[in-house]
Structure formats: structure tokens, C-alpha cells
Amino acid sequence: MSRIEWVRSNCRLLAAIASEFRDTLPFQGLTIGTGIHLEPKTVALLLALRDGGARVVATGNLNSTQADTVAYLRANDVEVVGATTTDEAEHDEHLRAVITARPDLLLDNGGDLFVRYLEAPYDALRGGTEETTSGRARLKPLAGALGVPVLVINDSPIKQFAENEHAVGQSVLESYMRITNQMTNGRAAAVFGYGACGKGVAANFRAAHALVAVVETDPVARLQASLDGFAVPSRADALRAADIVVTVTGAADVITEADLALIKDGAVLCNAGHFPREIAVAAIARSPQVTGTIPAGEGITTFRLADGRRFHLLTDGHMVNLAGPRPLGNSIESMDLGFALQARCLEAVANHAVGADHAVVPVPRAIDEAVANAFLEVYRGVRPEPRGERSEVPPQLIRE
Ligand SMILES: NC(=O)c1ccc[n+]([C@@H]2O[C@H](COP(=O)([O-])OP(=O)(O)OC[C@H]3O[C@@H](n4cnc5c(N)ncnc54)[C@H](O)[C@@H]3O)[C@@H](O)[C@H]2O)c1
């Protein structure tokens, strides 16, 4: 079985949706344009859309397109535009080529497709989905101009706890152990950032018997970390004590050359935030305190300091769970959940179940509930509970 087949066969929620779509054909006669990572886990989603009757025109994101995934998709009637590229101008051409197909629905990642659609709008667009928070921020001011439903997957509570918290937490721990092969037991870990991802990272290192401290700039999140049982020392104390440092904030320059005096001899530093700028790698390497860097191979670089200390940086400060040797990223099942939300949201837009008043809003609660019930049924064999009076969602939890 190829890796792609293995991943596909584990996406059980999408397999059930694809089977239903082959009967209901929600996308019959429609073109869906997509701009998300083309890697094995995306295959199950794109083929479920194809099974629903869609012509799928897909391109990837910068630097993440995998050639075997492209070949597999092309062999299965998905029109893939372009190939792996790190060139922004070339990537821009690929995105424009998707829009040229005049898709009825867009599956966007970062707002790239919707923004290009707005440069030359056409009548057929019914709306679509946006995967990320950064895409929501980019598209929210354009909601009026878009005038079509755009459902933001990352704003679903399911995406937040299943993927950002549990799956990122697990895969960062898994990547740390796979790359370093060091034990975590009894070692001091400092997690910078206690958002959804940081919560998962801190919890997983604690579960691996590390002594975890959380460093947070937001007092409310810091309080939550404290009430969750983590130490919340000053950042200087946390850095001085840490054998393992993980940044996962979304901010730049979280660890800089100014911190070199604090870093413990033998510490391992890594980043799980989206951009490779949380640890200021280039500035650290240029610091006069750094006397040399030794690439230890397979994702580890050792920095030697003038006073004899050494510390180790994983995957050059790029996302540790997605860079480095054999990156696997989040668990298949967590992606299956997120992509099930994608498939159901696109179905709702195709069926006109949501309208222009849904321009750049979170996933509707009914879809979250349907996907939650489906996951429990498919993976756990648990039937949905009847919705009684007392289980009504309190108004403050209704997201729209
Ligand atoms: N590695 C992955 O697979 C993966 C997956 C999803 C998201 N991400 C990325 O992880 C990052 C965090 O995502 P999130 O959803 O937890 O974000 P979030 O906004 O919910 O949480 C970030 C937290 O970091 C804190 N913070 C900001 N600057 C800080 C600093 N200098 N020191 C300490 N704390 C600081 C903020 O107060 C906030 O509480 C983002 O860049 C996101 O894109 C990575």
C-alpha cells in the first residue's frame, strides 16, 4: 500500500462522506477551485469533492506541494495546476490559473484565491471556505465586496481543539522525540505561547513527564496556564531553567540574540509557530557570542557560544512538526475531521443553505454538530444522543 493509500484508508469520515456524495452529487456540474497544501492528507478531501460531481481544479501552497500527491490526483481526474515552487511569482500564476477556470466554489487557504477573484469578479461564484485565521483576517474587510458565503474552518471549535490543540501538541512532541531521540522525563520544558497550540504542546510534554513552564504575554492566558497547573515564571527564569524551549506564538522575535546569556548549556530550541521568525535564527547566528554552528544533520544545528556553552536548534526554526526528517504533521484523524468540515461547508454553499449574510463567518453550528456526531459514530461506534431541552446550546455559545 502506498503512503497515499494508507492515509486515504484512514480518513474514515471522508470515506463515508464520499460514499454519500456519490449518491447525492451536491457538486454536479460545478467547478471547485482549491489552493491548499497538496500532500497525502488532502487527497481524500479532493477526491470526495470529485465524487460529489465536481470538476476540481487544484493548486498547492508555496513550497509544500508533493510530486507523488500531484501524480496521484492527476491520475484520479483532479486538474492540478503547477508543481512545487518556492517562487512567489510562479505561485501567483498558479493561483490565477485556478481563478481562470471560473470556479463556482473556492476552497481557500490564506485568502489567496478570493483576493484574486475580487480583481476580476464573475457571476458564477457561489462562495466557499477559508481554512485559516490569517485568511479570515485578510478577507473580513472584503466581506461586503465578496457578497457570497465564505465559511472559516479555523473558527470552528472542532478545528481549535482537535487540530490546533490535540494534534499540534502530539505532533510537536512526536517530532521533538523523533529528531532528538532524547528523553523528556524530568527535564524542564518552557513553552512560549498558551493559545490553542501552546495548550496542546504544554499538555503533551507534561504527559511525557517533562516539567513544563509556560511563558505568556497575555495575563489572562498566563492565568489559565497557571490554573491548568503549569509554572508561569518570568521569561528570563524560564529560559535559564529550560532544557527544552518551544515557541508557538505566531509572533516574531520571541527568542533573540539578547537571550543568549540565558540559554542553558545543552538546551534544545524549536519553533512550532507558523512563521520561521519566532526564533531569530539569522540574528542569533550573527551574534559575536556565537563562535560557530555545527550542522548535526537530520534537522539539528548545534550553536557554540564563546563561554563554552552549546545549544541545539531544530529544523532551522521552521515548524518542527512539518519540517525536518520525515515530517508527518498532524494525525490523519485530526485532518479527517477538519476536512470533513470543509466538505460539509462546501456542500452547504453549493446547496445555497447559507447566503450572503454568511460572508466570512465561522462554520455554522449545525455543521459542527453534524461532523461531531459523524466522527463519534464512524470512529467510536457511538450513536448521537437525542437533542433534549436541557442539551440546547446556550445562546452565548451559538457562534452566529
Ligand atoms: N505547527 C503546526 O502544525 C501549527 C498548526 C496550527 C497553527 N500553528 C501556528 O501556531 C501559532 C500559534 O497558534 P495559536 O492558534 O495557538 O495562536 P493563538 O493566537 O491562539 O495563541 C498565541 C499565544 O501566544 C501568546 N504570545 C504572543 N507573543 C508572545 C511572546 N512573545 N511570548 C509569549 N507568548 C506570546 C499570545 O498572547 C497568545 O496567547 C500560529 O503561528 C499558528 O499559525 C502551527
Side-chain angles (χ1 to χ4, degrees):
M1 195 193 273
S2 72
R3 180 88 206 151
I4 295 174
E5 297 288 353
W6 164 256
V7 172
R8 259 192 97 184
S9 68
N10 277 279
C11 287
R12 294 167 56 190
L13 211 44
L14 279 171
I17 290 172
S19 161
E20 178 194 312
F21 279 0
R22 284 192 284 275
D23 291 332
T24 57
L25 294 175
F27 309 120
Q28 188 68 39
L30 302 182
T31 297
I32 304 180
T34 76
I36 49 166
H37 303 291
L38 294 179
E39 51 95 26
K41 286 169 212 159
T42 326
V43 169
L45 172 63
L46 298 188
L47 296 187
L49 303 179
R50 177 209 62 182
D51 285 352
R55 171 191 176 210
V56 180
V57 182
T59 197
N61 294 146
L62 267 183
N63 201 21
S64 63
T65 299
Q66 297 187 12
D68 53 351
T69 300
V70 171
Y72 191 95
L73 288 169
R74 286 191 174 136
N76 284 279
D77 300 326
V78 173
E79 297 172 37
V80 181
V81 178
T84 318
T85 180
T86 51
D87 184 305
E88 296 207 11
E90 197 179 332
H91 181 51
D92 175 65
E93 275 174 35
H94 297 162
L95 292 164
R96 287 179 195 284
V98 171
I99 295 296
T100 306
R102 300 199 155 230
D104 303 274
L105 301 166
L106 292 175
L107 189 168
D108 208 352
N109 189 7
D112 287 340
L113 290 172
F114 281 109
V115 163
R116 284 167 180 77
Y117 156 81
L118 279 178
E119 290 173 12
Y122 51 86
D123 286 342
L125 188 74
R126 294 188 190 185
T129 55
E130 163 54 47
E131 176 77 8
T132 64
T133 312
S134 51
R136 186 239 290 131
R138 193 174 176 196
L139 296 179
K140 193 75 189 166
L142 305 172
L146 284 165
V148 290
V150 178
L151 305 177
V152 181
I153 306 299
N154 201 55
D155 289 344
S156 159
I158 294 179
K159 177 83 162 41
Q160 288 290 325
F161 62 69
E163 203 175 312
N164 296 4
E165 184 174 340
H166 290 295
V168 172
Q170 285 181 339
S171 67
V172 168
L173 175 67
E174 184 274 328
S175 300
Y176 173 83
M177 296 194 70
R178 173 168 37 80
I179 295 170
T180 65
N181 201 208
Q182 290 181 337
M183 72 154 44
T184 49
N185 306 58
R187 301 183 75 207
V191 177
F192 282 69
Y194 202 67
C197 296
K199 285 190 182 87
V201 171
N204 274 275
F205 274 84
R206 174 158 69 185
H209 306 283
L211 305 168
V212 181
V214 168
V215 180
E216 246 298 341
T217 49
D218 174 356
V220 177
R222 191 180 191 209
L223 171 66
Q224 189 176 10
S226 176
L227 298 196
D228 287 346
F230 295 104
V232 287
S234 69
R235 69 184 296 290
D237 285 347
L239 270 178
R240 265 188 219 105
D243 302 299
I244 303 163
V245 177
V246 185
T247 57
V248 59
T249 70
D253 297 333
V254 177
I255 309 285
T256 70
E257 65 278 20
D259 296 316
L260 287 174
L262 302 172
I263 292 174
K264 190 172 173 180
D265 187 29
V268 174
L269 274 57
C270 61
N271 168 48
H274 188 78
F275 297 105
R277 59 183 188 198
E278 300 211 7
I279 302 173
V281 178
I284 288 174
R286 280 195 307 269
S287 163
Q289 292 180 67
V290 173
T291 55
T293 56
I294 312 160
E298 304 215 304
I300 306 175
T301 305
T302 297
F303 286 67
R304 255 197 327 244
L305 298 176
D307 60 9
R309 282 175 300 140
R310 290 165 178 235
F311 68 90
H312 313 284
L313 175 71
L314 303 188
T315 63
D316 295 323
H318 287 260
M319 275 190 283
V320 70
N321 59 335
L322 290 169
R326 196 163 186 258
L328 295 174
N330 294 333
S331 61
I332 299 170
E333 293 85 344
S334 69
M335 299 302 289
D336 192 26
L337 257 175
F339 285 161
L341 291 171
Q342 281 279 8
R344 289 300 186 200
C345 285
L346 287 167
E347 179 189 28
V349 177
N351 291 343
H352 303 286
V354 284
D357 52 331
H358 289 79
V360 197
V361 300
V363 172
R365 180 78 194 184
I367 293 181
D368 279 329
E369 292 190 1
V371 168
N373 278 332
F375 185 93
L376 290 172
E377 199 160 357
V378 167
Y379 281 94
R380 308 275 186 266
V382 178
R383 306 273 310 159
E385 281 290 298
R387 261 313 205 104
E389 281 280 303
R390 289 168 61 82
S391 67
E392 279 306 315
V393 182
Q396 69 272 23
L397 293 184
I398 296 176
R399 300 182 64 90
E400 290 181 81

